[in-house]
């Protein structure tokens, strides 16, 4: 019997030829009543029992059953089903026979309960093992992402030559995430930095990639693309072809400013995953800081050179003035 109270035939001996088990049995008033009382039922004429009529017509009549003993299979307060003892002749079951049947069903109830506990325990074990595997993989990805971000931070802090450090950063991303091309598009300078294969930008002056970059810059949010050919967020010029399929782009954000975008590309569809976006956003923040530091360094250097030139001019003028005196 299942949780809804639906009874099913799981085993019979001798088996009826051509019968496929398990087989659902009709709702029967007698079984419904016995499920509440957990009592025993016995009759010498199943055809005369009105409460047995649905079961008689669907099951007992075909087997020419005359006498029937129904004993519940119980463990504690849990009803697992019934044992049906059937006879083709009129027979009244004796108390010792009923007691023997009850002993058998008690043992069957224990066996069924043990089997269910075993299935539940095994399911719990499988679920725990799966969760452990998932968590282990998750921790491995987090560790890999942390190591990748650490490498990127080190690369970005080793030099103020922005082109050199950006190229090394893109190379680290290619190696760590397995992307085939990585690109940085700067909005203010209209410049591109790329590493890896040449899949994007070739012969198109970066028109499609710039459109994607403007989209993430305007929204200051990432874009994860499984197939660039079928993505409807952008309308590219008619005849635009792509040498790649999947793409992920994040904005380069520094405070209130958005400097451009970081884009990773691969020829395989749905190559990038959502958990990689977090690493890219962290990388983009570090790139934004590096770009800002490089601009500050350039500004300070230019100002220092201008001040040095002014100082030299003043020194020359002073020497000339003393010479005239």
């Amino acid at each position: 019997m299942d949780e809804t109270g639906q009874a099913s035939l799981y085993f019979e001996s001798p088996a009826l030829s051509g019968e496929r088990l398990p087989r659902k049995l009709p709702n029967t008033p007698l079984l419904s009543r016995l499920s509440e009382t957990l009592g025993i039922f016995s009759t010498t004429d199943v055809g005369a029992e009105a409460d047995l009529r649905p079961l008689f017509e669907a099951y007992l009549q075909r087997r020419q059953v005359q006498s029937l003993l129904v004993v519940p299979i119980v463990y504690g307060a849990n009803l697992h089903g019934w044992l049906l003892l059937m006879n083709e002749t009129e027979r009244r079951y004796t108390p010792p026979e009923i007691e023997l049947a009850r002993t058998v069903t008690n043992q069957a109830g224990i066996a069924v309960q043990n089997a269910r506990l075993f299935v539940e325990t095994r399911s719990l074990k499988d679920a725990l093992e799966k969760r452990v595997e998932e968590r282990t993989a998750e921790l491995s990805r987090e560790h890999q992402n942390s190591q990748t971000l650490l490498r990127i931070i080190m690369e970005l802090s080793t030099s103020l030559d922005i082109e050199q450090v950006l190229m090394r950063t893109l190379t680290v991303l290619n190696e760590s995430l397995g992307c085939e091309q990585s690109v940085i598009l700067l909005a203010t300078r209209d410049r591109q930095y790329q590493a890896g294969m040449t899949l994007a930008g070739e012969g198109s002056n970066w028109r499609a990639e710039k459109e994607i970059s403007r989209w993430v810059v305007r929204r200051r949010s990432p874009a994860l693309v499984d197939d660039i050919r079928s993505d409807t967020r952008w309308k590219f010029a008619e005849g635009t072809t792509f040498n790649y399929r999947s793409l992920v782009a994040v904005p380069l954000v520094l405070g209130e400013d958005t400097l451009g975008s970081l884009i990773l590309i691969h020829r395989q569809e749905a190559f990038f995953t959502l958990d990689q976006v977090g690493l890219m956003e962290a990388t983009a923040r570090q790139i934004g800081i590096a770009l800002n530091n490089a601009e500050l360094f350039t500004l300070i250097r230019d100002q220092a050179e201008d001040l040095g030139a002014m100082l030299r001019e003043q020194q020359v003028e002073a020497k000339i003035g003393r010479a005239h005196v």
Side-chain angles (χ1 to χ4, degrees):
M1 187 176 67
D2 60 21
E3 296 121 356
T4 65
Q6 174 72 55
S8 298
L9 176 66
Y10 274 86
F11 179 79
E12 65 176 337
S13 179
L16 189 66
S17 177
E19 187 82 10
R20 298 186 62 180
L21 303 180
R23 170 194 170 186
K24 290 187 180 300
L25 298 175
N27 293 326
T28 303
L30 175 67
L31 296 182
S32 298
R33 189 172 69 250
L34 292 179
S35 66
E36 297 176 0
T37 63
L38 301 181
I40 294 174
F41 174 80
S42 179
T43 180
T44 58
D45 187 1
V46 293
E49 301 290 340
D51 286 352
L52 270 175
R53 179 59 55 182
L55 184 63
F56 175 76
E57 294 176 350
Y59 176 70
L60 300 174
Q61 187 175 30
R62 185 181 176 192
R63 288 158 177 79
Q64 300 179 352
V65 175
Q66 176 70 25
S67 304
L68 175 67
L69 174 64
V70 181
V71 185
I73 300 175
V74 179
Y75 180 81
N78 297 322
L79 174 66
H80 296 302
W82 292 274
L83 171 66
L84 275 61
L85 301 178
M86 301 172 289
N87 203 296
E88 295 180 357
T89 61
E90 183 177 323
R91 177 176 178 177
R92 189 175 302 277
Y93 291 91
T94 64
E97 290 174 331
I98 295 174
E99 189 60 31
L100 176 60
R102 184 183 286 275
T103 300
V104 171
T105 55
N106 287 341
Q107 294 300 313
I110 294 172
V112 170
Q113 184 69 15
N114 289 342
R116 289 187 175 180
L117 289 174
F118 174 75
V119 170
E120 291 175 3
T121 302
R122 185 171 61 183
S123 298
L124 179 60
K125 171 178 169 292
D126 293 342
L128 287 174
E129 287 180 350
K130 183 179 179 180
R131 178 58 186 150
V132 168
E133 290 176 1
E134 291 174 350
R135 184 54 182 158
T136 300
E138 184 180 340
L139 290 173
S140 177
R141 289 193 299 270
E142 290 176 358
H143 176 72
Q144 181 182 357
N145 289 347
S146 299
Q147 293 298 311
T148 299
L149 186 59
L150 180 60
R151 287 181 61 192
I152 289 171
I153 293 173
M154 292 177 62
E155 293 291 351
L156 291 171
S157 61
T158 54
S159 171
L160 287 171
D161 183 342
I162 195 63
E163 184 168 351
Q164 182 182 19
V165 298
L166 290 183
M167 290 299 297
R168 286 207 298 256
T169 298
L170 294 178
T171 300
V172 170
L173 281 174
N174 290 349
E175 293 173 354
S176 300
L177 299 183
C179 51
E180 295 179 327
Q181 184 180 12
S182 54
V183 180
I184 292 174
L185 298 178
L186 298 182
T188 55
R189 303 179 188 177
D190 195 25
R191 290 203 59 185
Q192 303 86 34
Y193 300 91
Q194 60 175 314
M197 301 175 64
T198 304
L199 298 175
E202 184 180 19
S204 67
N205 198 26
W206 301 93
R207 285 192 297 271
E209 292 73 32
K210 286 181 179 179
E211 180 66 26
I212 296 170
S213 179
R214 284 191 290 270
W215 190 91
V216 300
V217 166
R218 277 196 307 270
R219 288 164 175 77
R220 292 170 66 92
S221 62
L224 182 62
V225 180
D226 289 337
D227 188 350
I228 191 66
R229 299 169 301 178
S230 58
D231 201 293
T232 59
R233 283 175 284 187
W234 306 281
K235 294 188 180 299
F236 302 114
E238 187 175 350
T240 302
T241 59
F242 296 94
N243 297 322
Y244 56 90
R245 292 293 172 262
S246 55
L247 170 149
V248 58
V250 298
L252 299 176
V253 177
L254 181 66
E256 297 299 320
D257 298 326
T258 307
L259 309 179
S261 64
L262 169 63
I263 302 175
L264 303 186
I265 291 168
H266 203 282
R267 287 173 294 180
Q268 178 182 321
E269 291 184 18
F271 179 80
F272 300 103
T273 59
L274 193 59
D275 60 353
Q276 292 173 328
V277 174
L279 172 62
M280 287 190 60
E281 288 180 315
T283 301
R285 285 191 292 270
Q286 296 301 319
I287 292 174
I289 294 171
L291 288 169
N292 186 63
N293 291 341
E295 288 187 0
L296 288 175
F297 172 75
T298 301
L299 178 62
I300 293 170
R301 183 188 60 191
D302 292 344
Q303 289 178 344
E305 290 177 353
D306 291 341
L307 288 172
M310 291 174 59
L311 180 59
R312 286 192 296 272
E313 288 177 1
Q314 290 175 356
Q315 289 173 341
V316 170
E317 290 176 357
K319 287 181 181 179
I320 295 173
R322 286 196 297 271
H324 284 302
V325 173

